[in-house]
Amino acid sequence: MAGLGTAELLPAYRAGTLSPVEVMEAVLAQAERREGELHALCLVDAVGARAAARASEARWRAGTAGVLDGVPVTLKENIAQPGVAYRLGTAATAATAAADFEAPPAARLREAGAIAWARTTMPDYGMLSSGLSSLYAEPARNPWNLQLTPGGSSAGAAAAAAAGYGPLHLGTDIGGSIRLPAGWCGLVGLKPSHGRVPIKPGYAGRVAGPLTRTVADAARMLAVLAQPDARDPTQLPPGAFAPREVVLRGLRLGLLMDAGWGEAVQPEVAAAITAAARTFEQAGAVVEPLGAFTTREMADGIDRFWRMRSWLDISALAPEQRARVLPYILDWVAPAAEYDGATVFRGYGQMQALREAANAACEPFDFVLSPVAPMPAYPANLASPLHDPARPFEHIAFTLPFNMSEQPALAINAGYTSTGLPIGLQIIGRRFDDAGVLALGAAWEQLRPVPRPWPA
């Protein structure tokens, strides 16, 4: 019951054959069974969840239920809820730190009747692609192999989704933080077009989006999240998003296998993504190679800008707080103390350079296919595949461009390594075509071989 999707839950609630109370109990029990090894959750509100489930049951009986009424959902720890712990995955924040506002995604889910029963773990400040954190005793772990990371920074959200802690999980993404864990955990993860999902606090390239087991669940969740909220000045016009069908015959797909920098794509990953492209081609799509458009200058410039942004935050902490930040993060930001204004400004300019390059490169195609990451999941105790703060982003060369370009990008399972680890396919659409990447993802679900059972 804990692993059921919204396509099963909502009709059963409507028919009265299943109650939100039963489902919530099943999800809580599943989390209790698995949390000792997965470390996906930083807060569980079992009392509040049970009360919300009873209230939802009453609304279904009265015919006043919302569109996600009674569906369990987890929120990443950086999604603010009033009065709830808000420590951003780092021990540098005070133990009593709590939000004094409700982030737009949390508000939309609450208004739709979803039950936000738990908050999920993340690395310090969300700046790693793993679950390694100074705040939690253990990093989040991948249900497919407990020695490995689920990815990050939406680490706990991905672990929870793959382990069947209910159908809906909310993450955030500024360089791959939804798509990387989705790819490494065999999930669907959508980085929406910038502004599609209003968010607070906002930042260049930062979005919130769903992590789910199916495209249908991601689409249903996005429809709720993509409602207007004036607190985000980048919000897209209301009504601009609507699901659509995609016709494969004649569809132009670009195949990006060389990002232009970063780690080389490993052979098993390359084979899975190439096989996916051939499958689309056999279904009538036209697949053409897309050459690299990202440069080392772009990547290093953005790295320097982000180091300075983080250094300013961390250097403002009291010395005893600063000492609690994850050492890897401290090592990463340290060079920024010597940057001059010109270095930071040139770094900031590379965000726009990458935005223009990505949109221009993708324009000839209806969609672009690529790996989510060059490699499968790596050990859980590492901050990144290389674990080198001097080279922190070598694994995000396929995801980072589409945060800067503001294009929608979907991660979805493409297959498995010889050892059974998931491999992620990334589907990139033109700006604002979130419905298109969801539609092509749904088509892939029908075309691909039957996925392996979820890890028990």
Side-chain angles (χ1 to χ4, degrees):
M1 194 183 300
L4 295 177
T6 57
E8 294 85 21
L9 293 179
L10 294 172
Y13 290 167
R14 189 173 297 111
T17 57
L18 199 58
S19 162
V21 174
E22 297 173 281
V23 172
M24 196 66 253
E25 289 296 338
V27 169
L28 289 168
Q30 176 69 354
E32 185 175 0
R33 278 192 294 270
R34 299 302 308 276
E35 260 308 282
E37 57 189 7
L38 293 179
H39 313 290
L41 307 179
C42 56
L43 180 67
V44 175
D45 181 11
V47 172
R50 289 183 171 109
R54 290 192 295 271
S56 175
E57 182 181 62
R59 288 192 295 272
W60 280 105
R61 288 173 176 169
T64 59
V67 294
L68 288 178
D69 223 299
V71 178
V73 62
T74 68
L75 305 180
K76 190 175 176 180
E77 200 211 345
N78 62 351
I79 301 294
Q81 293 175 286
V84 178
Y86 191 58
R87 301 187 65 185
L88 307 179
T90 178
T93 53
T96 56
D100 60 359
F101 69 98
E102 184 177 35
R108 299 296 87 77
L109 291 165
R110 175 182 53 77
E111 292 159 359
I115 301 174
W117 64 280
R119 296 173 68 77
T120 54
T121 56
M122 58 183 280
D124 287 54
Y125 303 106
M127 290 306 296
L128 298 177
S129 298
S130 77
L132 199 62
S133 163
S134 62
L135 180 57
Y136 318 122
E138 292 283 343
R141 294 181 181 272
N142 193 320
W144 293 90
N145 182 327
L146 296 177
Q147 301 306 310
L148 304 180
T149 183
S153 63
S154 302
Y165 292 16
L168 304 182
H169 306 270
L170 184 69
T172 61
D173 191 315
I174 197 172
S177 288
I178 289 172
R179 289 157 291 159
L180 291 166
W184 287 329
C185 289
L187 300 166
V188 173
L190 176 67
K191 185 211 77 68
S193 298
H194 194 87
R196 176 70 65 211
V197 176
I199 193 169
K200 176 183 172 67
Y203 191 74
R206 183 173 186 257
V207 299
L211 277 151
T212 62
R213 288 184 169 189
T214 67
V215 172
D217 277 347
R220 188 170 275 114
M221 193 173 178
L222 181 65
V224 168
L225 296 170
Q227 302 300 315
D229 194 305
R231 292 177 292 168
D232 183 350
T234 72
Q235 65 175 331
L236 296 179
F241 166 76
R244 70 175 177 85
E245 296 296 323
V246 64
V247 177
L248 295 179
R249 185 156 300 280
L251 201 69
R252 293 195 65 192
L253 303 179
L255 179 59
L256 177 65
M257 296 300 295
D258 177 4
W261 64 284
E263 286 285 282
V265 178
Q266 293 185 5
E268 287 188 303
V269 174
I273 304 309
T274 302
R278 297 290 84 83
T279 301
F280 278 119
E281 197 169 45
Q282 289 163 11
V286 178
V287 178
E288 301 173 18
L290 171 59
F293 54 83
T294 309
T295 65
R296 172 57 66 178
E297 182 182 9
M298 294 172 183
D300 288 349
I302 294 169
D303 181 14
R304 286 190 287 269
F305 179 77
W306 280 354
R307 288 180 197 237
M308 177 55 80
R309 168 183 173 258
S310 295
W311 166 246
L312 291 174
D313 291 340
I314 291 171
S315 64
L317 297 172
E320 62 273 15
Q321 289 177 284
R322 196 181 314 155
R324 298 190 194 109
V325 175
L326 191 74
Y328 181 98
I329 295 291
L330 292 176
D331 290 343
W332 172 62
V333 303
E338 307 301 324
Y339 292 168
D340 60 15
T343 297
V344 177
F345 183 80
R346 284 194 293 268
Y348 178 78
Q350 293 306 313
M351 297 168 75
Q352 179 65 18
L354 182 48
R355 179 181 186 176
E356 293 175 1
N359 277 283
C362 296
E363 181 57 32
F365 303 101
D366 297 302
F367 301 94
V368 169
L369 309 177
S370 83
V372 172
M375 71 287 291
Y378 57 94
N381 62 342
L382 301 183
S384 68
L386 297 181
H387 199 68
D388 180 358
R391 295 187 297 159
F393 300 147
E394 302 304 295
H395 59 292
I396 66 170
F398 289 101
T399 52
L400 175 64
F402 306 108
N403 293 85
M404 301 301 103
S405 71
E406 304 186 357
Q407 294 168 254
L410 183 82
I412 189 168
N413 181 246
Y416 306 86
T417 67
S418 58
T419 59
L421 297 178
I423 295 170
L425 166 69
Q426 185 174 218
I427 299 172
I428 303 106
R430 291 175 177 154
R431 286 188 70 202
F432 315 129
D433 191 17
D434 303 73
V437 297
L438 288 166
L440 193 58
W444 172 244
E445 285 181 326
Q446 299 302 311
L447 291 171
R448 70 184 178 186
V450 176
R452 299 184 182 194
W454 292 101

